[in-house]
């Protein structure tokens, strides 16, 4: 698939689940900004059929290469980020995976059973990240079991393979000078920020500041009935130059750890 079409489809599917992102992008554009995407994040499991290396394949073919590795001990996640070899304006790709072997056997068994019910040929298709939830039957009881152990696993169960978030490159906004002014603008327009770990995660000394709105929610049909569940969210990043005068292009694990919580159902209930 052509890279432009691929990213357009990712955005189309993402905004269908995250109407807030489309509204915010329009708000920025109405103030005279062109919105550039800093990075796209994707979630998965570390099962060899759907691991980071599997989901990264189409991006590698587009000219991306691995750049950084990240470990999240509390959430039991591992992640890699990828950058395009030649195109500096191409969005970075951040793919994380849940480390199944670090969880109780009940969670591992649930995930394995979910993956087993899928036509295995689907996992070999290069556009897997565009497939969404490839397992059909959803049990709210199963969702709750996963949620007790891992919010990330519960989110994956409902949402499947998709972009977890897109990210506004605040450096390239023409009418905003910093992340603080972006956050104030968002709150003035009725959007609720993720305040876990502070409204702004990171700092100038770490060369990266990030913030995000709380994830949108949609009605999801479970066997037991319809429930409102979190989908995806919009993130905002501001990057600084390093001591060698080059722009920092990586990520800060502690900041990303708190950004993950934008989909947490508990934050939606507060």
């Amino acid at each position: 698939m052509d890279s432009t079409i691929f990213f357009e489809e990712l955005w189309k599917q993402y905004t269908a689940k995250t109407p807030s992102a489309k509204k915010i992008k329009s708000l920025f554009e109405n103030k005279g900004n062109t919105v550039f995407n800093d990075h796209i994040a994707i979630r998965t499991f570390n099962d060899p059929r759907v691991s980071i290396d599997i989901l990264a394949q189409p991006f590698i073919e587009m000219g991306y290469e691995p750049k950084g590795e990240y470990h999240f001990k509390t959430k039991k996640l591992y992640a890699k980020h990828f950058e395009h070899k030649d195109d500096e304006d191409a969005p970075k790709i951040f793919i994380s995976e849940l480390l199944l072997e670090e969880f109780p056997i009940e969670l591992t068994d649930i995930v394995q059973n979910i993956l087993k019910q899928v036509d295995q040929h689907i996992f070999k298709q290069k556009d897997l990240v565009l497939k969404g939830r490839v397992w059909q039957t959803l049990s709210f009881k199963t969702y709750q079991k996963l949620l007790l152990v891992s919010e990330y696993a519960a989110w994956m169960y409902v949402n499947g393979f998709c972009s977890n978030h897109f990210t506004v490159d605040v450096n390239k906004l023409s009418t905003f000078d910093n992340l603080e002014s972006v956050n104030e603008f968002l709150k003035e327009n009725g959007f609720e920020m993720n305040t876990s770990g502070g409204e702004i995660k990171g700092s100038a000394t770490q060369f990266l500041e990030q913030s995000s709105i709380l994830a949108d929610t949609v009605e999801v049909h479970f066997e037991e009935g319809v429930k409102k569940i979190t989908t995806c969210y919009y993130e905002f990043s501001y990057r600084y130059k390093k001591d060698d005068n080059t722009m920092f292009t990586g990520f800060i694990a502690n900041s990303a750890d708190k950004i993950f919580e934008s989909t947490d159902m508990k934050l939606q209930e507060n």
Side-chain angles (χ1 to χ4, degrees):
M1 184 184 292
D2 174 85
S3 60
T4 301
I5 295 172
F6 190 93
F7 282 112
E8 284 177 352
E9 184 61 26
L10 260 183
W11 172 256
K12 178 182 175 183
Q13 292 184 11
Y14 163 74
T15 52
K17 288 186 170 190
T18 323
S20 291
K22 213 168 189 178
K23 292 174 186 174
I24 290 170
K25 186 171 182 284
S26 294
L27 286 169
F28 283 135
E29 290 171 340
N30 290 340
K31 286 185 71 69
N33 297 279
T34 299
V35 178
F36 291 88
N37 185 24
D38 178 82
H39 69 271
I40 298 168
I42 298 160
R43 295 180 176 184
T44 191
F45 303 112
N46 72 335
D47 183 283
R49 292 167 289 184
V50 298
S51 66
I52 288 174
D53 291 340
I54 296 298
L55 292 185
Q57 284 179 358
F59 302 106
I60 298 295
E61 291 183 9
M62 291 176 201
Y64 280 81
E65 59 185 357
K67 284 291 185 178
E69 297 181 74
Y70 310 89
H71 299 271
F72 304 90
K73 291 185 179 179
T74 303
K75 291 183 173 62
K76 298 170 183 171
L77 302 171
Y78 169 70
K80 289 183 182 179
H81 100 263
F82 302 78
E83 296 177 27
H84 199 280
K85 295 175 185 176
D86 306 310
D87 185 358
E88 291 183 359
D89 289 327
K92 289 165 278 293
I93 307 298
F94 185 95
I95 309 178
S96 58
E97 61 185 15
L98 194 70
L99 302 175
L100 297 173
E101 67 276 7
E102 295 190 14
F103 285 90
I105 190 66
E106 184 178 19
L107 180 141
T108 304
D109 286 345
I110 290 173
V111 172
Q112 292 300 326
N113 287 331
I114 291 167
L115 297 177
K116 280 178 186 175
Q117 69 176 262
V118 179
D119 179 347
Q120 300 299 293
H121 292 290
I122 289 175
F123 297 137
K124 297 177 182 178
Q125 296 177 14
K126 291 182 180 178
D127 62 346
L128 178 60
V129 72
L130 298 176
K131 297 293 185 184
R133 191 179 71 239
V134 293
W135 43 90
Q136 298 304 313
T137 306
L138 287 180
S139 160
F140 190 64
K141 184 179 178 182
T142 298
Y143 173 80
Q144 288 179 308
K145 281 183 181 178
L146 291 172
L147 192 60
L148 283 173
V149 185
S150 168
E151 189 276 333
Y152 185 108
W155 186 94
M156 273 295 300
Y157 177 56
V158 170
N159 291 281
F161 302 103
C162 62
S163 170
N164 170 257
H165 65 264
F166 275 61
T167 309
V168 174
D169 186 340
V170 176
N171 296 72
K172 294 178 181 176
L173 294 176
S174 56
T175 66
F176 294 87
D177 296 325
N178 51 51
L179 199 53
E180 290 91 341
S181 59
V182 165
N183 289 354
E184 289 307 310
F185 176 69
L186 294 169
K187 289 185 287 188
E188 286 168 8
N189 281 279
F191 294 96
E192 191 171 352
M193 307 302 295
N194 168 6
T195 58
S196 179
E199 198 171 279
I200 292 179
K201 291 82 165 131
S203 64
T205 56
Q206 294 173 301
F207 308 115
L208 175 64
E209 294 176 341
Q210 296 167 274
S211 67
S212 61
I213 60 168
L214 293 181
D216 283 356
T217 58
V218 297
E219 290 188 342
V220 175
H221 292 267
F222 292 93
E223 290 175 336
E224 299 89 336
V226 176
K227 307 285 183 181
K228 277 199 167 185
I229 305 294
T230 55
T231 54
C232 310
Y233 58 93
Y234 214 8
E235 187 184 322
F236 314 89
S237 71
Y238 190 87
R239 296 180 179 274
Y240 293 84
K241 287 186 177 180
K242 299 181 291 183
D243 297 337
D244 62 3
N245 208 37
T246 61
M247 191 68 77
F248 177 71
T249 60
F251 296 87
I252 308 299
N254 287 343
S255 298
D257 185 80
K258 298 303 180 184
I259 290 285
F260 276 124
E261 295 175 15
S262 299
T263 58
D264 198 326
M265 287 295 295
K266 294 187 187 73
L267 292 180
Q268 297 286 348
E269 293 164 0
N270 291 338

